[in-house]
Amino acid sequence: MAKVTEHLSNTQGKPVFSIEIIPPVKGSNIDDLLKSIEPMMELKPPFIDVTFHREEYILKNLPDGGTKEIKIRKRPGTVGICASILHKFGIDPVPHVLCGGFTKEETEDLLIDLNYLGIENVLALRGDYARPYNSFKAKKDGHFYANELVSQINDMNNGKYLHEEAEYLNASDFCIGVAAYPEKHFEAPDLDQDIVNLKRKIAAGADYVVTQMFFDNQKYFDFVNRCRAEGITIPIIPGLKVLATKKQLSVLPKLFYLDMPEAFRKEVDACETDKQAKQLGIEWCVQQCRELADFGVPALHFYTMSKSDTTLAVAKQIF
């Protein structure tokens, strides 16, 4: 087992292949998830990110005029999935650790479990809104910003826990990743402020960066150059998604606040079937990967949505 930064330093001038998977919905069997990973094992990804999805609620009206939260959806634990990946494939899992939905105490308990299992990498994120709310709400005695979460993880790496009275707690040794947004986070007023926020996370102890997906490489190139000009030196891994249907042309920009290059949009619009759009998405992503590799990226990180076919079609032409 190794840290993400160690994997990135052993690339011999070539980017490494990594993927991100989504936990199955509650009640599903992990076998389907593991089967979706198996085809990509021939490409030997050194690490696999495992997302953590917020719980979802409905608000039920009460007779007294108030409302009550009722939890309607929750995904299986990221810790268990990471342990399964570690056991079955011998690959470093990178669990997402969120601010949203956790107190500081619950975060510490989660990190202790990960450390106990020998998991050495985490991706520290603020997290999305919990539906049906339209703004982020931190849990009472939880973190509101990702840099605060990074600080807590870094404190544990230095042997500092929430309660000095706790016994038998050794220092952890997590490699900490954080997120960045080449087209800026949708809540940031501008990209300059977004980079300021990224620098806060790095100052708190982040070791590497993974970007949001993008379809225009120039956005990534410009972002990296601005970061370097601001003194950011840690690895910045590009995140990629292979377009698989015509519908994704309009859905992905809404979900992830990104732009589609005009040339790509026109080509997808001209496709008559999803099969044609998928092939075009594969070809576009292959070209993205080749340009990014020439730029010297440390890794090519694929958001698979737990489907292997399109990612595998691209990766086989690159790795």
Side-chain angles (χ1 to χ4, degrees):
M1 298 297 99
K3 295 178 174 57
V4 168
T5 49
E6 292 172 342
H7 289 304
L8 299 181
S9 66
N10 294 324
T11 61
Q12 298 179 338
K14 297 180 180 179
V16 301
F17 168 65
S18 67
I19 60 174
E20 178 178 298
I21 60 171
I22 300 173
V25 294
K26 184 178 180 180
S28 299
N29 192 298
I30 194 174
D31 288 344
D32 290 337
L33 178 64
L34 297 177
K35 285 177 183 177
S36 74
I37 299 172
E38 282 178 345
M40 290 182 276
M41 290 303 99
E42 63 180 283
L43 297 172
K44 298 178 179 164
F47 58 91
I48 297 176
D49 277 32
V50 182
T51 66
F52 189 101
H53 282 264
R54 291 292 306 272
E55 64 278 18
E56 295 181 20
Y57 300 90
I58 57 172
L59 300 179
K60 185 176 181 179
N61 293 324
L62 300 176
D64 62 4
T67 58
K68 179 182 179 181
E69 288 183 343
I70 299 177
K71 190 181 295 184
I72 61 170
R73 190 178 187 187
K74 191 172 184 180
R75 291 178 182 260
T78 296
V79 175
I81 293 169
C82 287
S84 296
I85 290 172
L86 190 62
H87 174 73
K88 183 173 179 62
F89 300 115
I91 289 174
D92 284 306
V94 184
H96 290 194
V97 179
L98 308 184
C99 296
F102 290 89
T103 65
K104 296 172 187 176
E105 194 85 42
E106 290 167 338
T107 295
E108 183 171 279
D109 290 342
L110 170 64
L111 293 168
I112 288 171
D113 284 345
L114 294 174
N115 189 50
Y116 176 78
L117 289 169
I119 293 171
E120 299 182 338
N121 302 284
V122 294
L123 191 71
L125 307 166
R126 188 196 70 174
D128 299 327
Y129 306 160
R131 295 178 184 178
Y133 302 106
N134 58 6
S135 62
F136 180 81
K137 295 182 179 180
K139 201 168 181 178
K140 185 179 179 181
D141 195 34
H143 298 300
F144 193 91
Y145 296 109
N147 66 287
E148 298 169 348
L149 175 58
V150 173
S151 290
Q152 181 178 1
I153 301 169
N154 196 48
D155 280 347
M156 283 185 55
N157 283 348
N158 290 310
K160 181 181 178 182
Y161 287 76
L162 294 175
H163 307 295
E164 293 182 0
E165 296 81 4
E167 296 181 353
Y168 313 120
L169 295 178
N170 298 318
S172 58
D173 191 21
F174 290 113
C175 177
I176 307 169
V178 293
Y181 305 86
E183 299 175 65
K184 92 171 185 64
H185 190 278
F186 71 98
E187 293 179 8
D190 52 49
L191 192 54
D192 286 339
Q193 184 59 48
D194 218 16
I195 291 176
V196 169
N197 293 337
L198 177 58
K199 291 176 73 173
R200 289 194 182 106
K201 291 187 278 190
I202 294 168
D207 298 298
Y208 71 97
V209 177
V210 181
T211 78
Q212 178 60 280
M213 68 179 70
F214 56 88
F215 289 83
D216 183 348
N217 282 352
Q218 193 59 50
K219 299 283 180 69
Y220 171 83
F221 298 150
D222 292 344
F223 176 74
V224 171
N225 289 333
R226 290 179 72 168
C227 286
R228 300 308 184 214
E230 288 293 324
I232 295 173
T233 60
I234 64 175
I236 302 176
I237 300 172
L240 299 164
K241 168 76 174 74
V242 187
L243 185 120
T245 67
K246 290 193 68 173
K247 185 178 179 180
Q248 288 180 350
L249 189 68
S250 58
V251 171
L252 292 177
K254 292 177 183 177
L255 286 177
F256 300 104
Y257 303 93
L258 53 85
D259 291 330
M260 289 290 184
E262 183 179 358
F264 184 49
R265 178 184 58 77
K266 288 181 177 179
E267 289 187 61
V268 176
D269 279 337
C271 293
E272 296 181 355
T273 65
D274 278 342
K275 184 177 180 180
Q276 292 174 337
K278 179 187 285 189
Q279 183 57 38
L280 182 61
I282 290 169
E283 293 170 1
W284 185 271
C285 194
V286 166
Q287 184 59 34
Q288 275 193 275
C289 290
R290 287 173 175 160
E291 291 178 356
L292 290 163
D294 289 342
F295 186 73
V297 298
L300 294 168
H301 185 71
F302 292 85
Y303 296 107
T304 68
M305 309 299 183
S306 296
K307 298 183 183 298
S308 62
D309 58 335
T310 54
T311 298
L312 198 57
V314 171
K316 281 186 174 181
Q317 298 186 57
I318 302 299
F319 297 97

